[in-house]
Amino acid sequence: MAFTLKSFMEELDQMQINFGEDSLLLMNISLAVIMFGVALEIKLSDFNYIWTKPKSFFVGIVSQFLLLPFLTFLLVLLIQPIPSVALGMFLVAACPGGNISNFLTNYAKGNAALSVSLTAFATLSSILLTPFNFALWSSLYAPTAFLLKSINLDYGDVFETVALILGIPLILGIYVHQKKPKTAQKIASVLKPLSVVIFISIVVVAFYSNFDLFIKVIGWVFGLVLMHNIIALGAGFSFSKIFGLNLEDTKTLTIETGIQNSGLALVLIFNYFDGLGGMSIIAGWWGIWHIVSGLTIASLWKKYSYEAKTV
């Protein structure tokens, strides 16, 4: 039978990436460890930014948790992807900022204090907002609403999972930093790169068994994720400009909105959606592509900052 776009879409919508219980447990733990490593570099004083300069902070929260999910919904309405792919897009958009956003902001010469404040607050609030946003926008698109009914997702369980792998490690990391900052810095320098390598390795192993299908769909998925990511980055940049934020804060909000915690999305997909094909591939490729796009835009801004100083 000749390969057609329709046939591979149907195959993708039905595909499930098998993940053993041991691998799933290791993925959950690695994401928690990544979050703990990020939190080890967060001080309680970083939250003072919320009160001293609330405008940039609240613009960032609105951009990430309201504007991006809404624009994702409009994109889904426009291109009408298969239900599993649309669910993946909604879930990625509902997640908080990615764990590398602080590094990228610092590299781009953005506002590091604002980035850290947004990361900490967004991570804590995602315990409620990620399940809420995913449920809301998925229910408004008929194909995904129908699919969710057939899956019978328990949002209470989703809430507990997000709290366990993001909320608790965040609080513990901040506590350790507050009590023993030097020790926290040493632990973070080892934990962060190690846990990321472990997490990426697990994802690669998971996709290896479906490598043939992944190769078939990567061209289409790449274009979709590229479009979605450009919209996310553009939303953060444009929203910052509309509210008259300075360049440093604009860089920060652009990165925070365009870099999503796709690792959390993958954990939820494997825990509650049995590795549903379209969702897994969208979230997995997001995890790869947003590093490329984030490093690219951060490098351009860093070069611009350097040239501006030398003029």
Side-chain angles (χ1 to χ4, degrees):
M1 181 183 295
F3 176 76
T4 64
L5 180 63
K6 182 179 178 181
S7 66
F8 101 70
M9 284 292 185
E10 291 174 351
E11 189 177 0
L12 179 61
D13 220 12
Q14 297 297 321
M15 186 186 80
Q16 290 184 325
I17 296 178
N18 298 319
F19 222 47
E21 289 187 9
D22 291 341
S23 297
L24 182 56
L25 177 61
L26 190 56
M27 177 180 272
N28 291 344
I29 292 172
S30 63
L31 185 58
V33 170
I34 292 170
M35 192 65 249
F36 179 67
V38 171
L40 285 171
E41 298 179 329
I42 297 175
K43 307 182 294 290
L44 285 175
S45 58
D46 290 327
F47 288 93
N48 292 337
Y49 200 94
I50 300 172
W51 317 114
T52 57
K53 295 186 177 180
K55 180 180 177 181
S56 296
F57 173 80
F58 285 108
V59 170
I61 293 298
V62 171
S63 176
Q64 192 168 19
F65 283 109
L66 291 179
L67 183 60
L68 178 57
F70 172 67
L71 292 176
T72 300
F73 175 70
L74 294 183
L75 178 60
V76 166
L77 287 182
L78 177 65
I79 63 177
Q80 296 189 359
I82 55 177
S84 65
V85 167
L87 277 181
M89 294 171 66
F90 287 135
L91 184 56
V92 167
C95 287
N99 297 316
I100 63 166
S101 62
N102 302 148
F103 162 75
L104 290 174
T105 296
N106 189 57
Y107 187 70
K109 306 298 181 184
N111 189 331
L114 174 60
S115 178
V116 170
S117 298
L118 284 169
T119 295
F121 186 86
T123 299
L124 283 175
S125 59
S126 69
I127 296 172
L128 291 173
L129 291 179
T130 292
F132 172 79
N133 261 331
F134 178 67
L136 173 64
W137 297 106
S138 297
S139 67
L140 294 178
Y141 182 58
T144 52
F146 178 79
L147 183 56
L148 281 178
K149 285 182 180 178
S150 66
I151 293 172
N152 195 25
L153 181 64
D154 187 334
Y155 289 101
D157 289 343
V158 175
F159 166 85
E160 291 179 7
T161 299
V162 177
L164 282 172
I165 63 178
L166 289 190
I168 293 176
L170 176 70
I171 294 170
L172 285 176
I174 294 174
Y175 177 79
V176 172
H177 184 103
Q178 197 71 15
K179 292 296 182 180
K180 296 185 177 182
K182 290 184 179 179
T183 302
Q185 202 70 29
K186 290 179 181 178
I187 296 173
S189 65
V190 176
L191 272 187
K192 287 175 69 176
L194 178 62
S195 56
V196 170
V197 169
I198 293 172
F199 188 88
I200 292 174
S201 300
I202 295 168
V203 174
V204 169
V205 170
F207 279 100
Y208 182 75
S209 60
N210 297 275
F211 186 73
D212 290 341
L213 182 59
F214 180 75
I215 292 299
K216 287 181 182 178
V217 303
I218 186 57
W220 185 82
V221 170
F222 175 81
L224 186 55
V225 170
L226 174 64
M227 191 188 313
H228 195 189
N229 186 231
I230 288 174
I231 288 172
L233 292 167
F237 181 84
S238 302
F239 208 49
S240 300
K241 288 300 182 183
I242 288 172
F243 283 89
L245 303 188
N246 60 38
L247 180 58
E248 282 192 348
D249 290 1
T250 298
K251 292 178 184 179
T252 305
L253 265 60
T254 301
I255 291 170
E256 290 292 333
T257 308
I259 305 299
Q260 294 298 96
N261 194 334
S262 54
L264 173 62
L266 281 171
V267 165
L268 295 177
I269 291 165
F270 286 120
N271 271 286
Y272 301 107
F273 296 92
D274 295 324
L276 189 60
M279 293 185 79
S280 301
I281 290 180
I282 288 292
W285 188 248
W286 246 98
I288 297 170
W289 177 250
H290 75 177
I291 295 174
V292 176
S293 65
L295 281 172
T296 301
I297 195 169
S299 298
L300 291 173
W301 263 326
K302 183 180 181 180
K303 182 180 178 182
Y304 172 81
S305 297
Y306 175 77
E307 290 177 347
K309 284 183 179 180
T310 55
V311 172

